[in-house]
């Protein structure tokens, strides 16, 4: 319990942890706000790049190839993030200027699966240009994608968003209700369990951003440890799709801001997660049942350079 003279912005009461004066804006330059959400995404991209470069050097690949992938992959991922969100939330943009609406993502509206698709397309393009198997690039980048997702998820913490329903569990998170910008995601159950402390109303919810970040971190570590022992090229990225699909399906079930698959009433991200997981599982089974192919990245790279 915080002292009576402190009114925390965000509070984990059952862990005894609270955060006061949690900002949304990192810096303002001539009236232009740079939000911590964007800063966390940027940090995630940089960290993901250096994690990938560590494996690139270790496996004997060319750093320049993956720098080129970064240069193309980041903008394509951003485009994918936005298009995916807009496509499945079309009612929000109906009748608007589409180009203008696309560039209004500073006010929200990005979807991770669109970013994954965009990054995968970039890897395919760079792979074709440089004669690198897509599976090699994807296996190199998969753990890095997870690291970027882990760090990026903390942007949701600063934005007070992407939370779940009411809970009084160990990891229950309290936020000042007036600081939650999108009030429609505060359900009746959350509102009925609102708590008044030190002069402020708090909602108490599942910190789903934290659940996903923690599980993604564990998956990333598992993939890094297993990668030197993979049975075939493409196995790591398939394990990523499978593992993240399971994680997202579970975590999405807690969230109150689910996107729906048009008028079906089915949560879009859970449907997508199932598709990714099922297809990946089938390809993993097929990969393990056929005769193993060479997977040494160093040897593959040397062969490519001799051509």
């Amino acid at each position: 319990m915080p002292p009576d003279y402190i009114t925390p912005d965000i509070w984990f009461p059952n862990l005894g942890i609270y955060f006061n004066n949690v900002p949304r804006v990192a810096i303002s330059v001539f009236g232009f706000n740079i939000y911590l959400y964007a800063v966390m995404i940027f940090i995630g991209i940089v960290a993901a790049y250096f994690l990938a470069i560590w494996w690139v050097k270790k496996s004997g690949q060319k750093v320049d190839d993956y720098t080129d992938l970064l240069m193309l992959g980041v903008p394509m991922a951003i485009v994918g993030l936005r298009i995916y969100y807009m496509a499945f939330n079309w009612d929000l943009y109906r009748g608007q200027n589409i180009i203008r609406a696309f560039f209004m993502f500073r006010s929200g509206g990005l979807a991770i699966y669109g970013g994954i698709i965009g990054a995968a397309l970039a890897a395919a393009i760079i792979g074709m240009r440089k004669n690198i198997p897509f599976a090699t690039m994807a296996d190199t980048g998969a753990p890095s994608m997870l690291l970027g997702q882990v760090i990026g998820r903390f942007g949701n913490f600063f934005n007070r968003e992407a939370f779940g329903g009411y809970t009084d569990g160990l990891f229950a998170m309290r936020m000042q209700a007036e600081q939650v910008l999108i009030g429609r995601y505060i359900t009746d159950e959350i509102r009925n369990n609102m708590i008044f402390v030190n002069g402020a109303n708090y909602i108490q919810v599942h910190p789903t951003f934290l659940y996903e970040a923690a599980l993604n971190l564990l998956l990333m570590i598992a993939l890094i440890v297993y990668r030197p022992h993979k049975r075939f090229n493409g196995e790591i990225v398939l394990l990523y799709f499978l593992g993240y699909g399971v994680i997202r399906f579970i975590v999405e079930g807690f969230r109150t801001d689910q996107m729906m698959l048009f008028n079906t009433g089915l949560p879009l991200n859970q449907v997508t997660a199932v598709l990714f997981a099922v297809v990946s599982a089938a390809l993993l089974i097929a990969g393990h049942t056929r005769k193993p192919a060479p997977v040494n990245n160093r040897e593959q790279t040397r062969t490519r350079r001799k051509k």
Side-chain angles (χ1 to χ4, degrees), residues 38-297:
V39 171
M40 297 308 295
I41 291 176
F42 175 77
I43 293 172
I45 291 170
V46 173
Y49 172 74
F50 282 108
L51 178 61
I53 293 306
W54 164 75
W55 179 251
V56 166
K57 292 179 178 179
K58 187 178 178 65
S59 60
Q61 301 179 75
K62 291 177 63 177
V63 171
D64 287 350
D65 293 340
Y66 288 86
T67 301
D68 290 346
L69 175 58
L70 175 73
M71 295 298 102
L72 180 62
V74 170
M76 287 191 66
I78 292 172
V79 170
L81 286 163
R82 186 60 172 161
I83 289 177
Y84 190 93
Y85 181 87
M86 290 180 67
F88 291 100
N89 290 274
W90 187 245
D91 288 342
L92 298 177
Y93 304 99
R94 194 184 306 275
Q96 297 185 35
N97 182 301
I98 299 303
I99 302 298
R100 185 182 303 162
F102 175 85
F103 287 101
M104 290 176 64
F105 51 77
R106 274 171 50 82
S107 59
L110 303 175
I112 185 63
Y113 272 116
I116 292 172
I117 293 169
L121 289 174
I125 292 169
I126 294 296
M128 286 188 291
R129 285 179 52 194
K130 295 177 176 289
N131 194 29
I132 306 172
F134 170 78
T136 298
M137 299 200 84
D139 280 355
T140 299
S144 299
M145 285 286 292
L146 283 166
L147 179 59
Q149 290 172 241
V150 168
I151 297 172
R153 271 297 169 205
F154 282 87
N156 299 135
F157 170 80
F158 292 106
N159 262 7
R160 285 81 157 172
E161 63 186 4
F163 50 83
Y166 169 78
T167 181
D168 194 30
L170 178 62
F171 298 103
M173 176 177 68
R174 291 179 183 174
M175 298 181 290
Q176 290 194 35
E178 65 178 15
Q179 294 182 358
V180 178
L181 296 181
I182 307 178
R184 69 177 182 271
Y185 298 142
I186 300 178
T187 64
D188 289 340
E189 182 186 21
I190 294 173
R191 194 171 288 107
N192 291 337
N193 286 280
M194 198 173 290
I195 300 158
F196 186 77
V197 179
N198 293 356
N201 284 314
Y202 288 88
I203 62 171
Q204 184 166 303
V205 297
H206 285 282
T208 52
F209 81 91
L210 184 59
Y211 298 165
E212 185 172 326
L215 292 170
N216 281 348
L217 181 61
L218 292 175
L219 178 59
M220 181 196 77
I221 294 170
L223 293 184
I224 290 173
V225 170
Y226 179 69
R227 182 164 50 186
H229 312 288
K230 66 180 184 178
R231 296 278 302 277
F232 59 92
N233 286 324
E235 184 179 11
I236 302 303
V237 72
L238 290 175
L239 287 170
Y240 162 56
F241 288 149
L242 173 59
Y244 182 63
V246 172
I247 290 169
R248 189 56 189 265
F249 181 86
I250 293 170
V251 173
E252 190 73 15
F254 290 101
R255 288 177 58 163
T256 62
D257 61 342
Q258 296 175 343
M259 289 192 297
M260 295 299 165
L261 181 60
F262 301 118
N263 296 319
T264 64
L266 298 172
L268 170 64
N269 286 321
Q270 284 190 315
V271 172
T272 307
V274 168
L275 289 174
F276 268 74
V278 169
V279 172
S280 298
L283 292 174
L284 283 165
I285 292 171
H288 278 269
T289 54
R290 67 170 180 257
K291 182 179 179 180
V295 296
N296 188 299
N297 288 319

Side-chain angles (χ1 to χ4, degrees), residues 1-8 11 13 17-18 174 197-198 202:
M1 183 78 173
D4 291 342
Y5 57 86
I6 293 179
T7 306
W11 181 13
I17 300 170
Y18 59 88
R174 291 179 183 174
V197 179
N198 293 356
Y202 288 88

